[in-house]
């Protein structure tokens, strides 16, 4: 793992999602892996840190989540906006070489088999919470409990986002539609 | 309603939430109303446009939602950051004059009794989806179907966010922690 990537304490990891940035969801099962953008995510609780992500049933990634019981959410930055879109523009059901062609680069955290996307601002690995089959079926809502989290220390440290001193390419992406995002902007501090 | 406030077609209204901005949730029942910030929201489907928001059981707002079956989500801007925090810093359970003291100003849309917060970038009114009692109880997750939506046409038009030409005070807020937000920033357009 990159020197800038540092662990995030699980009790502070929900703050990675507070910002409302677009995420990439990734998963692995039986030697197959996939990753796709998911703009629709939501923290559910802080301790334990649980979160929900909408991953539609037909997606290749969804099958890997359902079969492995694990998924990762990671927060792509402006620097990898094009690869992020590429991961959403084709299904691995249609192109088995999707990941290789996307321009995204992957790495692995010790003890986990899920591919993680390089160049993100934060990474979270979740174990699917049992007993939530109805949410998966009715809403395509996958609920997980975070078991490990990391961040790029240049933009997230001591449980807080801090983009001011970092390169603009490390700013999180917030999805509009089509091929359009906004990067996160100026701090609004009221204390 | 203000001249800049225009209706948003329901099939495009999910894009108001795509950006991941912090919201204010408001509700009304029996002549009582309340509003509070809610950073944890998530679209669930586009047509019909359904969304979920985490509103903890003890909140005054939650009781109004449970009893009325209605709630509004609206997206505060940098210009009303201080009032947004004020709405989250005290419970109406403790101070019945919370809304009046917050600095927030409210208006009403024709045909609805919920208070809407002036100075937001977008507003959505939801009817609680029946049969979701378990999500409310287990996760404090309130699921609604959008019945009306509006946006400030200076920042959202034709189904797209467009902050470039608008005053910075109209930028959406993205919550960090404590009294800290980031405003939405620069466009990242890849087409």
């Amino acid at each position: 793992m990159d020197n800038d990537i540092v662990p995030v304490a699980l009790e502070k990891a929900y703050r990675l999602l507070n910002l409302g940035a677009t995420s990439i969801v990734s998963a692995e099962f039986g030697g197959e892996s996939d990753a796709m953008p998911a703009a629709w995510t939501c923290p559910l609780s802080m301790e334990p840190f649980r979160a929900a992500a909408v991953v539609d049933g037909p997606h290749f990634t969804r099958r890997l989540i359902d079969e492995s019981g694990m998924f990762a959410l990671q927060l792509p930055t402006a620097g990898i906006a094009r690869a992020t879109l590429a991961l959403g523009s084709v299904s691995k059901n249609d192109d088995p070489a999707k990941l290789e062609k996307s321009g995204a680069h992957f790495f692995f955290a010790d003890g986990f088999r899920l591919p993680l996307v390089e160049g993100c601002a934060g990474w979270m690995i979740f174990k699917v919470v049992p007993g939530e089959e109805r949410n998966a079926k009715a809403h395509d809502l996958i609920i997980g409990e975070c078991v490990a989290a990391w961040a790029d220390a240049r933009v997230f440290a001591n449980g807080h986002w801090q983009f001011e001193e970092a390169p603009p390419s490390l700013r999180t992406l917030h999805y509009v539609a089509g091929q359009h995002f906004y990067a996160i902007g100026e701090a609004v501090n009221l204390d």
Side-chain angles (χ1 to χ4, degrees), chain A residues 73-162:
Chain A
L73 293 177
Q74 49 237 301
L75 307 173
T77 59
I80 63 164
R82 200 166 290 279
T84 302
L85 277 181
L87 289 171
S89 65
V90 61
S91 169
K92 196 161 174 173
N93 289 316
D94 301 322
D95 185 353
K98 167 191 163 181
L99 295 191
E100 294 80 351
K101 292 178 182 172
S102 68
H105 300 281
F106 297 91
F107 68 101
F108 296 85
D110 284 347
F112 297 99
R113 300 169 61 93
L114 312 85
L116 301 175
V117 181
E118 289 183 7
C120 286
W123 300 261
M124 295 149 274
I125 295 179
F126 293 89
K127 193 170 188 316
V128 172
V129 172
E132 295 292 343
E133 293 78 8
R134 183 184 167 276
N135 274 322
K137 190 168 178 188
H139 303 299
D140 290 315
L141 194 67
I142 309 300
I143 297 178
E145 185 165 315
C146 189
V147 294
W150 301 266
D152 187 316
R154 293 173 292 175
V155 292
F156 187 93
N158 303 316
H160 282 78
W161 289 106
Q162 44 183 38

Side-chain angles (χ1 to χ4, degrees), chain A residues 60-81:
Chain A
F60 195 92
T61 307
R62 170 69 178 275
R63 184 174 65 75
L64 300 178
I65 297 172
D66 289 347
E67 295 195 343
S68 69
M70 303 285 291
F71 64 97
L73 293 177
Q74 49 237 301
L75 307 173
T77 59
I80 63 164

Side-chain angles (χ1 to χ4, degrees), chain A residues 4-81:
Chain A
D4 290 316
I5 301 178
V6 296
V8 174
L10 290 184
E11 67 268 24
K12 292 286 176 69
Y14 72 93
R15 293 182 178 177
L16 292 170
L17 287 183
N18 263 9
L19 209 56
T22 292
S23 69
I24 294 172
V25 56
S26 61
E28 185 274 349
F29 181 73
E32 288 191 298
S33 58
D34 200 7
M36 55 173 270
W40 296 1
T41 65
C42 186
L44 290 179
S45 63
M46 292 182 191
E47 294 192 60
F49 170 35
R50 290 181 170 181
V54 176
V55 184
D56 286 351
H59 286 305
F60 195 92
T61 307
R62 170 69 178 275
R63 184 174 65 75
L64 300 178
I65 297 172
D66 289 347
E67 295 195 343
S68 69
M70 303 285 291
F71 64 97
L73 293 177
Q74 49 237 301
L75 307 173
T77 59
I80 63 164

Side-chain angles (χ1 to χ4, degrees), chain A residues 173-190:
Chain A
L173 293 170
H174 300 255
Y175 193 50
V176 177
Q179 309 199 62
H180 303 270
F181 300 94
Y182 280 90
I184 199 68
E186 298 299 310
V188 178
N189 297 326
L190 298 179

